[in-house]
Amino acid sequence: MKLALSALSMALLLSACGGEGEPTQSRGPEPKLPAPERGLLPSMKIAEPAAWDDSMPKVPEGYRITAIAKDLKIPRQTLVLPNGDILVAEGRGGSAAKLKPKDVIASQIKAKGNTQVKGGNRLTLLRDADGDGQYELQTVFAENLNAPYGLAFDNGKLYVANQDALVRFDYQDGQTKAGGPPTKVTDLPAEINHHWTKSLAVSPDGRYLYVGIGSNSNITERGMEAEVDRAMVWEVDAVTGAHRPYATGLRNPTALTVQPGSGQLWAVVNERDELGPDLVPDYLTSVKDGAFYGWPFSYWGQNVDERVRPQNPDKVKAAIAPDYSLGSHVAALGVDFSTAAMGPQFADGVFVGEHGSWNRPNPVGYKVIFVPFKGGKPAGEPVDFATGFRGEDGKTRGRPVGVTVDPRGALIIADDLANTLWRVTRVQ
């Protein structure tokens, strides 16, 4: 086995060093999907980490970017509190065993592109007391959490989605440290935790919490019994913890946000692998109550995944297509609606943090994009907003995760490779 793994690893490394063709990603509401490609192993491209040194991500003309916190412990998602303080969830979770030799190899390849810092299992609070854009206070708000990821706030309650439970803290305006241990709202599926991140949003009236729970496999390799209560969004009663499936067939809903005005829930979702470099598109979609989005039986609506056994034609017929393709393997991990304070070009739409691919020869993602909206829906081509995380030299200096719009006119970007929090503002 060891010899076989070594040979496969070498083959992967050699293929990853080959030339990079032009991107062939199809993005938008009606992407052109190529035929599936099947092989022994997907192409894998190591993200070679490098320090930012004196460089920084690039933003559009008329905007500037600054690092407001460094030396964090794997920042994932962020939350801007009513008084302008920023909370950062820091941690690393997951405990899934490797099923096949390719899983061992893939984990080794992916690990080379991730930070070697130990996850903080905490929330860090940042404060800019005088409003000059410099966050002079950086302190631990809560610790001893279990891979916290999703964050939400409503009416004096701070909600945190750990990898195993949804919890809440009582919060008073201006508080810099939690008053005590959190209260559990409900347990979350945590066995195996192939996809451990639990995304989170709160309904406009504060009555319900929405938790995104990823699958335990690519396409049910561990059996359907391992997928109970997974690959879906839960609706959780904020008071009682009672929950129900809100939408299903979402392989890995990594970030959730609620659209201002309409109250519509939206998600970014990471789709399945091993069908080629241009399948299956990760996507941005409205999340409809009771809807089924295909996983594992089909993708992008009713395109059947022939690998899944047993097949389920009835489920395929019920599957609806997402709203907007972000391109395959971009690994979207953050989403938030913009406001007019971000400037006319970026006033109506969502920002999306793309962590970046590991499983295609021509890397994609590694940036923050803006998807414009019109009439409440995505419209037009995405616009690059923060780039340079992967440089022209092929080195990767950062990987975006959560993106949060500060109502005062700033975009907060969590970078879990450089362990940095970036802030983008308009130049007045």
Side-chain angles (χ1 to χ4, degrees):
M1 174 65 79
K2 184 175 182 180
L3 180 61
L5 284 178
S6 298
L8 285 170
S9 298
M10 182 59 68
L12 284 169
L13 291 173
L14 290 173
S15 69
C17 293
E20 297 181 4
E22 290 298 315
T24 54
Q25 297 285 282
S26 183
R27 302 185 292 185
E30 297 181 356
K32 296 180 180 179
L33 303 182
E37 297 181 17
R38 298 288 301 277
L40 175 64
L41 289 164
S43 297
M44 299 184 193
K45 181 74 172 181
I46 298 172
E48 303 173 43
W52 282 104
D53 294 327
D54 295 330
S55 61
M56 288 196 299
K58 300 173 184 176
V59 293
E61 184 177 356
Y63 291 78
R64 65 169 169 258
I65 185 167
T66 56
I68 59 173
K70 296 182 178 181
D71 299 321
L72 295 168
K73 295 185 176 182
I74 315 186
R76 301 293 190 174
Q77 300 292 334
T78 59
L79 175 71
V80 178
L81 293 167
N83 69 339
D85 289 351
I86 299 172
L87 281 178
V88 189
E90 300 164 85
R92 192 204 308 269
S95 57
K98 312 299 185 293
L99 290 178
K100 301 176 182 179
K102 70 177 179 63
D103 298 322
V104 176
I105 298 169
S107 66
Q108 293 173 349
I109 296 291
K110 288 188 282 187
K112 291 181 181 295
N114 294 331
T115 182
Q116 301 306 305
V117 170
K118 184 178 179 181
N121 288 325
R122 67 186 188 184
L123 304 183
T124 290
L125 181 140
L126 306 177
R127 174 171 294 171
D128 172 16
D130 56 10
D132 65 352
Q134 303 294 318
Y135 287 73
E136 61 276 358
L137 176 65
Q138 180 174 327
T139 187
V140 175
F141 181 87
E143 52 191 342
N144 299 319
L145 300 174
N146 186 1
Y149 186 81
L151 300 171
F153 175 81
D154 181 77
N155 194 30
K157 303 293 183 184
L158 171 63
Y159 298 96
V160 182
N162 288 321
Q163 70 170 338
D164 63 346
L166 175 62
V167 301
R168 68 170 176 257
F169 294 93
D170 291 328
Y171 171 83
Q172 294 182 350
D173 190 41
Q175 191 173 343
T176 59
K177 186 174 180 62
T183 299
K184 182 189 294 185
V185 178
T186 187
D187 289 317
L188 298 174
E191 188 174 357
I192 302 176
N193 257 355
H194 174 78
H195 290 125
W196 64 269
T197 58
K198 304 299 194 295
S199 53
L200 185 61
V202 60
S203 64
D205 61 5
R207 182 178 177 184
Y208 297 109
L209 297 156
Y210 298 96
V211 183
I213 303 168
S215 67
N216 253 334
S217 62
N218 184 36
I219 49 161
T220 70
E221 294 90 342
R222 291 184 169 87
M224 288 301 290
E225 63 274 9
E227 305 298 344
V228 173
D229 289 332
R230 302 191 74 111
M232 64 178 64
V233 172
W234 282 13
E235 182 183 71
V236 181
D237 187 295
V239 176
T240 68
H243 56 82
R244 69 178 180 97
Y246 185 78
T248 58
L250 299 147
R251 178 175 174 268
N252 191 13
T254 55
L256 301 172
T257 188
V258 173
Q259 189 170 17
S262 71
Q264 174 65 55
L265 183 67
W266 286 76
V268 288
V269 178
N270 288 186
E271 256 287 2
R272 68 202 75 196
D273 296 322
E274 300 178 41
L275 287 178
D278 298 312
L279 278 181
V280 172
D282 297 337
Y283 57 83
L284 165 73
T285 193
S286 56
V287 182
K288 297 178 173 62
D289 189 359
F292 174 67
Y293 290 83
W295 190 89
F297 307 106
S298 64
Y299 57 87
W300 202 266
Q302 299 176 9
N303 294 278
V304 175
D305 191 333
E306 300 290 353
R307 301 171 298 174
V308 178
R309 291 290 183 271
Q311 294 278 297
N312 192 327
D314 289 339
K315 293 294 287 185
V316 172
K317 288 179 183 178
I320 66 172
D323 287 287
Y324 192 92
S325 166
L326 297 168
S328 300
H329 312 305
V330 298
L333 299 186
V335 65
D336 200 14
F337 278 91
S338 189
T339 67
M342 289 303 298
Q345 183 182 0
F346 303 105
D348 188 6
V350 296
F351 292 101
V352 176
E354 298 183 345
H355 201 232
S357 63
W358 60 270
N359 51 353
R360 67 190 315 271
N362 182 29
V364 290
Y366 298 97
K367 60 186 176 182
V368 176
I369 64 168
F370 178 78
V371 178
F373 272 47
K374 185 175 182 180
K377 297 181 179 180
E381 287 291 316
V383 178
D384 287 351
F385 186 77
T387 61
F389 292 89
R390 185 179 180 90
E392 294 179 359
D393 60 1
K395 305 283 183 156
T396 304
R397 290 166 175 81
R399 303 189 75 177
V401 188
V403 291
T404 302
V405 175
D406 185 332
R408 297 174 298 182
L411 181 69
I412 310 302
I413 304 169
D415 175 347
D416 74 354
L417 178 59
N419 291 301
T420 296
L421 216 61
W422 303 98
R423 183 173 183 261
V424 185
T425 55
R426 295 173 66 192
V427 177
Q428 301 298 327

